[in-house]
Amino acid sequence: MLHEPVSSTNVRSVGYSQAERVLEVAFHSGGLYRYDNVPADVHAALMSAPSKGGFLARFIKGHYPYRPISG
């Protein structure tokens, strides 16, 4: 999955597959997480959020099933 670098103190890059509704988030700490069943509008809102880490904490973590891929 192609990742787009983002400007964030915690998040390094974000990848998204609209067909699979899968969001991948890579952190500066080295962790890579996959979130399932994420709608395209949530991905778009994440990418436009002024704080990527804050958006993740408030609207994605705990709302969508996830698993670590590495880290």
Side-chain angles (χ1 to χ4, degrees):
M1 177 180 303
L2 184 62
H3 278 231
E4 181 178 342
V6 295
S7 178
S8 170
T9 56
N10 293 322
V11 179
R12 182 171 43 104
S13 65
V14 174
Y16 185 69
S17 168
Q18 188 168 353
E20 298 178 31
R21 292 171 49 109
V22 168
L23 177 75
E24 287 183 358
V25 179
F27 293 90
H28 289 294
S29 62
L32 175 62
Y33 291 83
R34 174 187 172 126
Y35 296 85
D36 294 315
N37 301 317
V38 178
D41 62 330
V42 173
H43 168 251
L46 168 64
M47 297 307 283
S48 65
S51 170
K52 307 298 188 262
F55 187 94
L56 273 169
R58 187 165 181 195
F59 298 108
I60 296 177
K61 291 180 180 178
H63 297 274
Y64 300 98
Y66 75 96
R67 64 183 168 91
I69 295 175
S70 68

